[in-house]
Amino acid sequence: MRSKSKNAPSPLSNAIKAKNHRSKKKKGSVKKLNINYKKLLKYSVIAVTVIVVITTSGFGINYAVEQSKIAYLKPYQNKYPDVEFPTGIMEKYCDTYGENPNSVGYIYIDETGLSSPVLDEENDTYPYAEANNAGSEQFNFVVYLNDSSLEAYYSSAEAYNSDATTGFMTYSDLYNDYRFKIIGAFYTNTVAADDDGYIFPYNVTEKMTADSYSSFFDRLETRFIYSTGIALTKQDTLLTISCPTDYRENFRFVVVGVLRNDSTDKATAEEKSQIRYPQIIYDENGELNPYCFASNWYPEIIVTVGDSETTETQSIIDYE
């Protein structure tokens, strides 16, 4: 049997050595971790710096892009220093707006050669627009003309179908140009006494309730002198042109167009057997008014106040 060496380590000493060895390894690991943390901190600072630079550059790029979008306005701002041009106005209307900041639109009618700014208030020189109630979304752009030249082209089905009539009008809100297809025309009174105390609100501009849209479109159709077979929906946008007329004192001749992306061809007009006129026309002709029992309808409009919507029923006071 081999005898135990005097210098041989005991099991306990081996265990201590093993523990010390593990401790040394652990301390070494901690030291290494501290070095990685410092590197990580360094890299984090670099990363943050890069992010700041990129973000700042992004703001700079966005600013440059926004400035490029309005760069075309600079010559007009210099030309008309007292005028504040609305952002997004088309360049071709900048001179128009600079010369008359009351411009809210521009209208083109090929038949009459009309190419004119539309102002926000009544005047004897330019067409002007019907005001829209504050807080209301507009669906009907109403423009008043100062002459009756349009009447000859749209006062009958025969006139509408003639080669001299395009069947379209172009209107701009100064930000975009829109082409409207003409769907009908009619005569209406402006004095309530000519229709038993009623004035048809053809010049309502505000977004309405669903029932009011339906009632308005039905009443428009009964007044049209001819039919083009185009049905309106509450998603449609209208252009209504109101003109003076010699048809009768205190009457207006009204032409209605609809904005439709899917229609490019001129409509075909057909004569109607029954047309709704103001009561005075039937009285003068000694005829019975087939609509004499119809209600004196006025629209219920939707008014947006902040984040909420309310409805308001209009009356003759809004149209006298």
Side-chain angles (χ1 to χ4, degrees), residues 12-298:
L12 181 60
S13 65
N14 285 337
I16 292 173
K17 284 182 179 180
K19 182 178 179 182
N20 290 337
H21 178 68
R22 286 195 298 270
S23 298
K24 287 179 181 179
K25 287 180 68 176
K26 189 173 181 182
K27 288 181 181 178
S29 298
V30 170
K31 185 176 181 182
K32 187 175 182 180
L33 180 63
N34 288 338
I35 293 172
N36 288 341
Y37 177 77
K38 290 179 179 179
K39 288 183 178 179
L40 180 61
L41 182 61
K42 177 181 178 181
Y43 294 150
S44 297
V45 171
I46 294 173
V48 169
T49 304
V50 170
I51 291 172
V52 170
V53 170
I54 292 174
T55 304
T56 306
S57 299
F59 285 135
I61 292 171
N62 290 337
Y63 178 77
V65 170
E66 291 303 315
Q67 289 301 303
S68 68
K69 290 180 180 179
I70 61 174
Y72 71 96
L73 289 177
K74 295 297 183 183
Y76 302 99
Q77 291 170 337
N78 293 333
K79 186 176 181 180
Y80 307 100
D82 296 329
V83 176
E84 183 176 349
F85 288 87
T87 301
I89 185 174
M90 297 177 73
E91 184 172 2
K92 67 179 179 178
Y93 298 122
C94 285
D95 274 322
T96 295
Y97 193 86
E99 293 168 2
N100 198 330
N102 290 325
S103 300
V104 293
Y106 203 96
I107 190 167
Y108 306 86
I109 300 178
D110 291 342
E111 287 87 345
T112 63
L114 179 64
S115 176
S116 171
V118 177
L119 306 188
D120 63 357
E121 58 187 4
E122 183 175 351
N123 68 93
D124 297 328
T125 305
Y126 296 102
Y128 56 96
E130 176 73 44
N132 190 51
N133 284 356
S136 296
E137 182 179 337
Q138 190 166 359
F139 89 101
N140 183 19
F141 293 87
V142 182
V143 178
Y144 297 91
L145 303 188
N146 292 312
D147 67 78
S148 61
S149 56
L150 189 62
E151 185 177 0
Y153 297 93
Y154 292 101
S155 58
S156 69
E158 181 181 3
Y160 184 104
N161 293 330
S162 72
D163 293 338
T165 303
T166 66
F168 291 90
M169 297 178 291
T170 299
Y171 183 74
S172 174
D173 59 2
L174 303 182
Y175 302 94
N176 292 285
D177 291 338
Y178 303 97
R179 198 169 186 231
F180 290 82
K181 187 171 190 174
I182 297 174
I183 61 172
F186 60 94
Y187 291 97
T188 189
N189 59 299
T190 61
V191 176
D194 289 340
D195 197 16
D196 287 343
Y198 181 58
I199 297 176
F200 175 55
Y202 72 90
N203 47 348
V204 57
T205 62
E206 297 84 2
K207 179 181 178 181
M208 299 181 286
T209 61
D211 287 343
S212 279
Y213 272 118
S214 179
S215 296
F216 179 61
F217 295 154
D218 286 345
R219 283 162 172 77
L220 265 184
E221 182 59 37
T222 63
R223 284 170 169 76
F224 284 156
I225 299 167
Y226 42 82
S227 175
T228 55
I230 300 175
L232 296 173
T233 73
K234 66 178 184 178
Q235 284 75 39
D236 282 321
T237 298
L238 304 183
L239 174 64
T240 299
I241 308 298
S242 181
C243 316
T245 178
D246 293 329
Y247 180 75
R248 198 185 187 286
E249 187 179 3
N250 297 321
F251 269 47
R252 303 284 293 184
F253 178 69
V254 181
V255 178
V256 180
V258 61
L259 180 65
R260 289 283 179 85
N261 294 329
D262 61 346
S263 58
T264 56
D265 297 329
K266 175 183 174 181
T268 299
E270 296 182 358
E271 298 285 354
K272 291 171 58 178
S273 59
Q274 190 167 282
I275 302 167
R276 182 173 181 177
Y277 290 102
Q279 182 60 44
I280 196 169
I281 301 301
Y282 297 103
D283 293 342
E284 290 179 347
N285 294 332
E287 299 175 351
L288 178 65
N289 180 356
Y291 300 95
C292 60
F293 296 111
S295 63
N296 290 347
W297 171 86
Y298 286 99

